[in-house]
Amino acid sequence: MYGEHHDLVHELPEHRETIHTLKTENAHFARLFDQYHEIDKEIRRVEQEIEVVSDEHAEELKRKRLALKDELFAMIRKHEAAAA
């Protein structure tokens, strides 16, 4: 859906505490988290027609966001498994 927020906590609300912990304790996670949100903001600007880019560029941004989300989610799952 256009303009929909895909922030990580919104996407994975059941992992809110782990996300917070990893953001504060894991510099790599924090860096990826920031990259994810920057790309998400850019996608929203494109979808709201605030910025104009080619369809190919828009799709590449979406692929990057998905890849980052997958990597972040893997880190979340690993952290939670280790804590269990």
Side-chain angles (χ1 to χ4, degrees):
M1 176 175 285
Y2 287 151
E4 183 175 319
H5 291 270
H6 288 273
D7 65 271
L8 203 59
V9 174
H10 180 262
E11 291 285 309
L12 305 168
E14 65 277 16
H15 302 285
R16 179 183 307 269
E17 283 186 37
T18 303
I19 292 168
H20 175 72
T21 299
L22 286 170
K23 278 181 15 185
T24 59
E25 296 177 2
N26 184 317
H28 180 63
F29 183 92
R31 191 169 39 258
L32 294 177
F33 181 89
D34 289 344
Q35 288 175 5
Y36 174 89
H37 285 93
E38 284 303 313
I39 290 172
D40 184 55
K41 287 177 190 174
E42 187 173 351
I43 291 169
R44 282 196 317 250
R45 288 190 305 264
V46 169
E47 290 176 342
Q48 294 169 351
E49 298 179 357
I50 296 169
E51 289 185 28
V52 178
V53 299
S54 68
D55 290 343
E56 294 82 17
H57 183 68
E59 290 304 313
E60 179 62 26
L61 289 171
K62 290 177 184 179
R63 282 191 293 276
K64 286 180 182 179
R65 179 178 63 187
L66 182 59
L68 284 166
K69 181 179 175 184
D70 288 345
E71 188 172 354
L72 289 162
F73 186 56
M75 293 174 77
I76 291 166
R77 289 179 50 201
K78 182 178 179 181
H79 179 83
E80 290 177 345

